[in-house]
Amino acid sequence: MRACLLVGALALGLLAGCTKVVTLTVTNLLPVRANMSVDGPVRSPSNMGCVSAGGGRVTYDLVIPNDQLPAVLDFTAGPYRFQYTVSRQTESPLWLEIGPDGVDGPRPARYPTYP
């Protein structure tokens, strides 16, 4: 039993070391819902779903294989398309706002502009 637990813990440790996980919180300030998707070397689903209108907020974990870093990710957020590069040094969590004037972010969580 103890050997099984040790092997399981070792396997999880090895898997964790093989990927970069970036937590992205998206806030939608548009008056309509915004569909989110990402294209690039991510192990997470490319269709991230939608974020409710008028301040809806959703959090996603982007899982990127370390051997694919730096990774250029192509995002679609509502009516907007943009790219973001994730490297080994990219901080997590990140925040992103979708608003009438465009996309603000992704930016480190220590710099949110909303309450």
Side-chain angles (χ1 to χ4, degrees):
M1 179 67 169
R2 194 177 281 184
C4 289
L5 290 175
L6 182 60
V7 169
L10 182 60
L12 284 175
L14 289 174
L15 285 175
C18 297
T19 60
K20 169 81 174 180
V21 178
V22 177
T23 300
L24 176 67
T25 298
V26 179
T27 301
N28 179 14
L29 302 176
L30 296 172
V32 296
R33 76 178 185 182
N35 292 321
M36 289 287 303
S37 65
V38 61
D39 187 30
V42 294
R43 289 189 183 160
S44 5
S46 60
N47 182 2
M48 301 163 73
C50 67
V51 185
S52 300
R57 190 177 291 172
V58 177
T59 299
Y60 305 101
D61 283 332
L62 303 172
V63 181
I64 304 162
N66 281 341
D67 62 353
Q68 298 289 312
L69 295 172
V72 177
L73 305 180
D74 294 305
F75 284 93
T76 301
Y80 308 111
R81 295 179 189 271
F82 63 96
Q83 288 185 331
Y84 188 75
T85 302
V86 174
S87 69
R88 292 183 194 279
Q89 293 77 31
T90 299
E91 294 184 35
S92 182
L94 295 174
W95 290 79
L96 178 118
E97 283 181 6
I98 307 166
D101 296 327
V103 174
D104 181 16
R107 64 182 180 283
R110 66 176 179 260
Y111 300 116
T113 58
Y114 49 84

